[in-house]
Amino acid sequence: MLTNIAGPRVAERASQLGLLFSPEEAKAAHLVDQLVDGSQMAQAVDSEVERWLKIPDAARQLTKANFRQQLAEQQVARKKDEAEAFVSHFMKDSIQRALTSYMEQMKSKKSKK
Protein backbone atom coordinates (compact mmCIF):
# COMPACT_ATOMS: atom_id res chain seq x y z
CA MET A 1 0.00 0.00 0.00
CA LEU A 2 2.90 2.36 0.73
CA THR A 3 4.00 1.89 -2.87
CA ASN A 4 0.57 2.95 -4.11
CA ILE A 5 0.57 6.06 -1.94
CA ALA A 6 4.17 7.27 -1.95
CA GLY A 7 5.55 5.55 -5.04
CA PRO A 8 8.01 2.69 -5.48
CA ARG A 9 11.19 4.64 -4.74
CA VAL A 10 9.98 6.11 -1.45
CA ALA A 11 8.44 2.79 -0.37
CA GLU A 12 11.59 0.82 -1.17
CA ARG A 13 13.91 3.23 0.64
CA ALA A 14 11.63 3.51 3.66
CA SER A 15 11.26 -0.26 3.94
CA GLN A 16 14.89 -1.18 3.42
CA LEU A 17 16.37 1.61 5.54
CA GLY A 18 13.68 1.58 8.23
CA LEU A 19 13.07 5.27 7.67
CA LEU A 20 10.87 7.32 9.94
CA PHE A 21 9.22 10.35 8.38
CA SER A 22 9.06 13.79 9.93
CA PRO A 23 5.61 15.36 9.66
CA GLU A 24 6.75 17.45 6.70
CA GLU A 25 8.26 14.44 4.93
CA ALA A 26 5.09 12.42 5.55
CA LYS A 27 3.01 15.17 3.97
CA ALA A 28 5.38 15.46 0.99
CA ALA A 29 5.14 11.68 0.47
CA HIS A 30 1.32 11.89 0.70
CA LEU A 31 1.20 9.73 3.83
CA VAL A 32 -0.81 12.41 5.65
CA ASP A 33 -3.23 14.91 4.15
CA GLN A 34 -2.49 17.90 6.32
CA LEU A 35 -0.35 19.11 9.17
CA VAL A 36 -2.13 20.83 12.02
CA ASP A 37 -0.81 22.62 15.07
CA GLY A 38 -1.72 20.77 18.26
CA SER A 39 -3.91 23.63 19.47
CA GLN A 40 -6.02 23.38 16.28
CA MET A 41 -6.20 19.57 16.22
CA ALA A 42 -9.74 19.13 17.58
CA GLN A 43 -11.17 21.72 15.19
CA ALA A 44 -9.36 20.14 12.21
CA VAL A 45 -10.58 16.66 13.15
CA ASP A 46 -14.18 17.85 13.53
CA SER A 47 -14.01 19.55 10.14
CA GLU A 48 -12.58 16.48 8.43
CA VAL A 49 -15.13 14.14 10.05
CA GLU A 50 -17.98 16.41 8.91
CA ARG A 51 -16.57 16.36 5.38
CA TRP A 52 -16.44 12.56 5.27
CA LEU A 53 -19.87 12.10 6.85
CA LYS A 54 -21.43 13.97 3.91
CA ILE A 55 -20.46 11.07 1.63
CA PRO A 56 -23.04 8.25 1.56
CA ASP A 57 -21.59 5.20 3.33
CA ALA A 58 -22.30 2.72 0.53
CA ALA A 59 -20.70 4.95 -2.11
CA ARG A 60 -17.61 5.49 0.05
CA GLN A 61 -17.22 1.77 0.71
CA LEU A 62 -17.63 0.86 -2.97
CA THR A 63 -15.09 3.45 -4.06
CA LYS A 64 -12.60 2.32 -1.43
CA ALA A 65 -13.07 -1.34 -2.39
CA ASN A 66 -12.59 -0.57 -6.09
CA PHE A 67 -9.35 1.31 -5.46
CA ARG A 68 -7.97 -1.48 -3.28
CA GLN A 69 -9.27 -4.52 -5.19
CA GLN A 70 -6.18 -5.01 -7.36
CA LEU A 71 -3.86 -4.81 -4.33
CA ALA A 72 -6.01 -7.28 -2.39
CA GLU A 73 -6.02 -9.73 -5.30
CA GLN A 74 -2.24 -9.46 -5.63
CA GLN A 75 -1.76 -10.15 -1.92
CA VAL A 76 -3.97 -13.23 -2.04
CA ALA A 77 -2.15 -14.52 -5.14
CA ARG A 78 1.27 -14.06 -3.51
CA LYS A 79 0.33 -15.44 -0.10
CA LYS A 80 1.68 -18.97 -0.71
CA ASP A 81 4.89 -17.75 -2.36
CA GLU A 82 5.57 -15.29 0.46
CA ALA A 83 5.01 -17.97 3.11
CA GLU A 84 7.41 -20.32 1.33
CA ALA A 85 10.03 -17.56 0.99
CA PHE A 86 9.67 -16.69 4.68
CA VAL A 87 10.15 -20.30 5.78
CA SER A 88 13.05 -20.79 3.37
CA HIS A 89 14.80 -17.68 4.68
CA PHE A 90 14.43 -18.58 8.35
CA MET A 91 15.56 -22.15 7.78
CA LYS A 92 18.95 -21.01 6.43
CA ASP A 93 21.87 -22.07 8.62
CA SER A 94 23.06 -18.49 9.14
CA ILE A 95 19.64 -17.37 10.35
CA GLN A 96 19.26 -20.41 12.61
CA ARG A 97 22.67 -19.73 14.16
CA ALA A 98 21.77 -16.10 14.76
CA LEU A 99 18.45 -17.07 16.34
CA THR A 100 20.11 -19.69 18.52
CA SER A 101 22.68 -17.14 19.67
CA TYR A 102 19.94 -14.64 20.45
CA MET A 103 17.96 -17.21 22.44
CA GLU A 104 21.06 -18.11 24.45
CA GLN A 105 21.64 -14.44 25.24
CA MET A 106 18.05 -14.11 26.39
CA LYS A 107 18.38 -17.19 28.60
CA SER A 108 21.57 -15.89 30.21
CA LYS A 109 19.95 -12.50 30.90
CA LYS A 110 16.96 -14.23 32.48
CA SER A 111 19.12 -16.45 34.68
CA LYS A 112 21.12 -13.44 35.96
CA LYS A 113 18.00 -11.86 37.46
Side-chain angles (χ1 to χ4, degrees), residues 8-22:
R9 174 93 171 117
V10 171
E12 182 179 346
R13 286 181 48 78
S15 297
Q16 290 185 0
L17 297 173
L19 298 179
L20 297 176
F21 294 89
S22 70

Side-chain angles (χ1 to χ4, degrees), residues 75-93:
Q75 288 176 326
V76 169
R78 292 191 320 232
K79 186 177 182 179
K80 183 179 178 184
D81 291 339
E82 286 183 3
E84 289 173 359
F86 178 84
V87 170
S88 175
H89 175 73
F90 279 93
M91 294 308 292
K92 290 179 181 177
D93 287 341

Side-chain angles (χ1 to χ4, degrees), residues 14-76:
S15 297
Q16 290 185 0
L17 297 173
L19 298 179
L20 297 176
F21 294 89
S22 70
E24 293 77 15
E25 291 168 332
K27 185 165 185 339
H30 306 288
L31 300 177
V32 297
D33 294 326
Q34 61 180 315
L35 301 178
V36 179
D37 184 70
S39 64
Q40 300 170 345
M41 183 89 57
Q43 181 182 357
V45 168
D46 288 344
S47 175
E48 191 68 14
V49 167
E50 285 178 27
R51 188 172 134 199
W52 283 95
L53 288 176
K54 290 178 184 176
I55 302 169
D57 227 22
R60 185 185 54 76
Q61 289 173 353
L62 270 172
T63 301
K64 190 174 185 178
N66 284 334
F67 274 104
R68 295 184 179 178
Q69 182 175 359
Q70 182 181 6
L71 176 62
E73 289 171 356
Q74 289 172 349
Q75 288 176 326
V76 169

Side-chain angles (χ1 to χ4, degrees), residues 91-103:
M91 294 308 292
K92 290 179 181 177
D93 287 341
S94 60
I95 301 299
Q96 288 297 308
R97 283 192 302 273
L99 289 172
T100 300
S101 173
Y102 178 74
M103 294 299 290

